[in-house]
Each structure stands twice: as structure tokens, then as C-alpha cells.
Amino acid sequence: MSQLKSLLFLSFLAMLLGGCASPVEGEWQSREKLSNKERNRLIVLGDGTANLKMYTALAPSAGLTKIKFEGTWLDDGDEYEFELECDSGCPSGTSVDFRMDCVLGENEALDCEARAPFKDYGYFEFEPMAE
């Protein structure tokens, strides 16, 4: 946890020294709660890295499992591209790494579409986390 705080502090410091930050930098949560009353959480750092904690069913009859991803992101003008690789909670024998394309929509919402295996997941609309 202290490593994450250090990264956030360094990102904040770089933002102050380096000029304008991307509007997607910061902490986001899924707009809607999942069935377990949790929300997915996306952290976008100014150094081009991102972390995603999400809950998903790994099998049709299974309950929700927490999976953590680490990856990178690119600012492509009005669109943002995330490449995410499973870091913990990963199912054995199959890859759940994926790409997510996002736009900053109305009301400061980050609306994302994921590619396989989460194309139809449905919980990739994010709002800024409350401070």
C-alpha cells in the first residue's frame, strides 16, 4: 500500500513540474455496484501505468472473484487505450489479459469498451472516486 502512495505522490509531483495532466489521471470507480455490493476500481497514473481491480464470475455458475490487473495506458487525443495484464486472482490455464478503449464522456464519466474476454462484461463505465 505504501508503494501505491509513493507512486501517487510521484505522479502528483510530476504533474506539478511537468504541466498539464491528462483528465483521466486519478482514481475511478465503476458507476454501478456489482451483485456483491462492490465496485470496480481503476487507478490511472501519470507515468503511463494503470491498475484495475474488478470482480467477475470466472464460470457461469461461480460467484464473483476479485482479479487485479496492471498495465499501461495511452492518451490518443479524445480516446484512451488501456492494455491490462492479470496480476493476481488470475484463473489458471486461461488468459484474461485484455484491452480497453475509453472516452471521457458527459459528467466526467470514463466510458470504456473492453475486448475479449470481457467484451460483454458491462461494468466498465467509471466515475471519479469521491475524495
Side-chain angles (χ1 to χ4, degrees):
M1 187 66 166
S2 64
Q3 183 180 14
L4 179 59
K5 286 181 183 178
S6 296
L7 282 173
L8 289 173
F9 175 75
L10 290 174
S11 296
F12 176 74
L13 186 60
M15 180 178 65
L16 288 176
L17 297 174
C20 296
S22 172
V24 298
E25 289 179 33
E27 295 186 46
W28 300 83
Q29 66 183 5
S30 57
R31 224 182 242 172
E32 296 181 32
K33 290 182 180 179
L34 287 88
S35 62
N36 63 353
K37 308 294 185 222
E38 296 284 345
R39 294 178 190 256
N40 293 333
R41 184 172 173 192
L42 175 67
I43 299 174
V44 183
L45 300 174
D47 64 358
T49 61
N51 297 296
L52 172 67
K53 175 184 72 174
M54 66 179 274
Y55 297 86
T56 188
L58 296 174
S61 61
L64 295 180
T65 299
K66 179 170 59 172
I67 302 176
K68 293 182 181 179
F69 294 87
E70 290 185 354
T72 59
W73 68 278
L74 296 171
D75 184 338
D76 189 20
D78 294 336
E79 298 180 5
Y80 306 93
E81 177 184 306
F82 292 83
E83 294 285 342
L84 299 162
E85 297 178 0
C86 191
D87 183 52
S88 71
C90 313
S92 60
T94 184
S95 174
V96 291
D97 299 346
F98 71 104
R99 178 177 161 180
M100 186 167 65
D101 298 313
C102 306
V103 295
L104 196 56
E106 296 178 24
N107 301 323
E108 296 184 349
L110 188 60
D111 296 322
C112 304
E113 288 186 21
R115 298 199 180 167
F118 298 109
K119 185 176 180 173
D120 298 320
Y121 176 66
Y123 291 93
F124 290 132
E125 291 181 357
F126 296 95
E127 62 188 13
M129 297 245 337
E131 307 240 348

